[in-house]
Amino acid sequence: MSNIELGGLRENVRGRVIDRDDPDYDDARSVFNGMIDRRPLAVVRVSQVADVIATVGFARDNGLDLAIRGGGHSAPGFGTVDDGIVIDFADRIGVHVDPEARTARAEPGATWADFNHATHAFGLATTGGIIGSTGIAGLTLGGGIGYLARKYGLSCDNLISADVVTADGGFLTADENQNADLFWALRGGGGNFGVVTSFRYRLHPVDIIYGGVIIYSAEHGETVGKFYRDFIAAAPEEFGAFYGFHQGPPVPFLPEQWHGTPVCVIVGAWTGPLDEGEKAWQPLLDAAPVLGSFLGPLPYPALNTLFDPLQPKGMQAYWKADFLRTLSDDALRVAADFGSRIPSVESANHFYPIDGAVQRVAPDATAFSYRNVGFAPAIAGQWHDPADNADNTRWVRDYWEALHPYAEAGGYINFMDADDQSRIADNYRTNYARLADVKATYDPGNLFHVNQNIAPAAS
């Protein structure tokens, strides 16, 4: 399609339409995952809701694939598409905080670093991701696991309302009272139902936390995992922490001999009384010999950006995910084995706890159905050199195949890759049929299919 044929789109948006002849095209089409090399017809840097409505209509009326790009990662590359249109929210990162109501309204291009910066000024936060560069939109629509989940629930549990542009160009507000079926589906069902142009969240008093990271040798991975499993089950909900494996990062609190060497980690936050933080963390310091630790009072946003230097845009990336009822001894043996062979300093394997406030929400109360499991393992392979793609992708796949026999059928969609589409029904269990019905109501033609796609129910 030529630039002339894009004329109708240009006439109806105030944001920038970047096509293949634009000198900024290669930059505009690039996404977090350097493996993804797609050439959209145009990238539309939307400036307001009217631009979104016009762009949705243009893609729909011309039979073009449509990708929605928020502010974050999307390792599967769902933020771009070949020969189609990309709605890009890069210029829409505003966050408006109402400190008296303890709410925040955020635009879909914002990251959790943007969001936390805005809310921390008032001593408030809500459950966000582990990485500051994660986008609020994708994380929330897929569920939203983070440090505050045990105390305050998932990101989607803290969503109060969403403004949505639907496939027919309509503009709706979805909450508990308006378009409640759509609101139900947005909380975990991904980007299947429309383009969310605004998120309104409930906030909680979170200011200075006591937290950080403890690093152990990978040879103690099973021992640490067993201790963590029992510790987190009994810990107050103010203690939010995950267990996992990395290569030792080049940080001053870790001796240089361990840099680039497989290590076991526990990372998290104590959000209870600050003077109780040291005591709360002490059992984990005693669980096994510690190679290095960085623990103490921190502004919550500082913890949320701790790993950001290891997450530059443009790396090669391949991810897998599951849910585990428990961190069984068998699962821990698999984790320790593959964790001891983690292939790069940017790669990560984390086990996130799914308990506390998360389990106090019924499995059918939102689209996110796995409320009765114990942990969400995420295997995130990330590296720089494309020459390592085959070996590192194989590590992720082999790890997942070894762990999956101890897991549930479905997994956490925010850590799934593009080849996980066959698991879509398992990811939502008994909620899938209802999601397909909601999809048929709001997107019967499946315009929004560049995602972990829920097909509309047959009429």
Side-chain angles (χ1 to χ4, degrees), residues 71 89-96 105-111 114-115 118 136:
F89 284 104
D91 297 331
R92 310 308 305 168
I93 63 171
V95 181
H96 178 268
R105 185 177 295 277
E107 294 179 308
T111 64
D114 297 323
F115 187 93
I136 66 161

Side-chain angles (χ1 to χ4, degrees), residues 16-37:
R16 189 176 174 196
V17 178
I18 304 171
D19 65 19
R20 292 167 177 169
D21 294 327
D22 194 294
D24 295 331
Y25 176 74
D26 281 336
D27 181 64
R29 72 184 181 91
S30 68
V31 292
F32 170 78
N33 187 349
M35 276 190 187
I36 309 300
D37 183 22

Side-chain angles (χ1 to χ4, degrees), residues 25-360:
Y25 176 74
D26 281 336
D27 181 64
R29 72 184 181 91
S30 68
V31 292
F32 170 78
N33 187 349
M35 276 190 187
I36 309 300
D37 183 22
R38 296 186 183 135
R39 298 183 62 82
L41 180 66
V43 176
V44 184
R45 290 267 173 84
V46 295
S47 67
Q48 53 186 271
V49 173
D51 288 359
V52 177
I53 294 172
T55 306
V56 167
F58 183 84
R60 181 194 63 237
D61 295 345
N62 287 279
L64 297 170
D65 285 341
L66 179 64
I68 316 301
R69 186 185 304 166
H73 301 156
S74 186
F78 293 146
T80 188
V81 66
D82 279 324
D83 301 319
I85 301 294
V86 175
I87 291 177
D88 187 352
F89 284 104
D91 297 331
R92 310 308 305 168
I93 63 171
V95 181
H96 178 268
V97 180
D98 183 337
E100 291 189 9
R102 289 186 177 176
T103 63
R105 185 177 295 277
E107 294 179 308
T111 64
W112 286 106
D114 297 323
F115 187 93
N116 292 334
H117 176 73
T119 61
H120 183 69
F122 304 96
L124 300 169
T126 200
T127 305
I130 303 301
I131 305 296
S133 58
T134 300
I136 66 161
L139 190 88
T140 301
L141 294 174
I145 298 169
Y147 295 114
L148 305 180
R150 298 187 72 232
K151 179 67 173 177
Y152 297 119
L154 303 172
S155 301
C156 71
D157 298 335
N158 290 282
L159 186 66
I160 299 170
S161 67
D163 293 335
V164 186
V165 174
T166 52
D168 62 1
F171 179 74
L172 305 173
T173 296
D175 59 25
E176 292 286 4
N177 300 310
Q178 307 171 79
N179 304 297
D181 57 340
L182 177 59
F183 185 55
W184 175 87
L186 291 173
R187 289 174 289 166
N192 276 281
F193 310 99
V195 185
V196 179
T197 60
S198 178
F199 296 81
R200 185 166 175 253
Y201 295 93
R202 182 179 303 106
L203 302 177
H204 308 278
V206 179
D207 190 358
I208 304 299
I209 58 90
Y210 196 102
V213 55
I214 303 174
I215 301 178
Y216 316 83
S217 170
E219 68 177 310
H220 297 299
E222 280 188 69
T223 298
V224 173
K226 290 175 182 178
F227 186 89
Y228 167 83
R229 175 185 63 198
D230 297 336
F231 171 86
I232 203 69
E237 292 175 5
E238 288 79 6
F239 203 106
F242 65 81
Y243 154 82
F245 292 87
H246 283 254
Q247 284 189 6
V251 291
F253 61 88
L254 182 67
E256 189 172 348
Q257 71 193 80
W258 298 103
H259 293 182
T261 299
V263 295
C264 176
V265 302
I266 293 178
V267 184
W270 166 258
T271 59
L274 201 58
D275 60 2
E276 297 177 11
E278 184 176 359
K279 180 180 178 181
W281 274 94
Q282 189 60 48
L284 293 167
L285 290 166
D286 297 333
V290 173
L291 302 180
S293 66
F294 175 74
L295 291 172
L298 289 170
Y300 173 68
L303 176 67
N304 192 240
T305 56
L306 203 60
F307 291 103
D308 283 18
L310 300 178
Q311 302 290 318
K313 181 179 178 181
M315 287 187 301
Q316 313 292 292
Y318 184 71
W319 296 0
K320 289 290 184 187
D322 263 326
F323 285 115
L324 299 171
R325 288 199 177 271
T326 184
L327 264 176
S328 68
D329 289 354
D330 288 332
L332 286 169
R333 276 193 290 273
V334 172
D337 176 22
F338 282 87
S340 70
R341 294 182 276 129
I342 195 163
S344 69
V345 72
E346 296 86 7
S347 292
N349 164 222
H350 296 164
F351 292 82
Y352 303 112
I354 305 291
D355 62 356
V358 180
Q359 294 191 352
R360 288 196 290 276

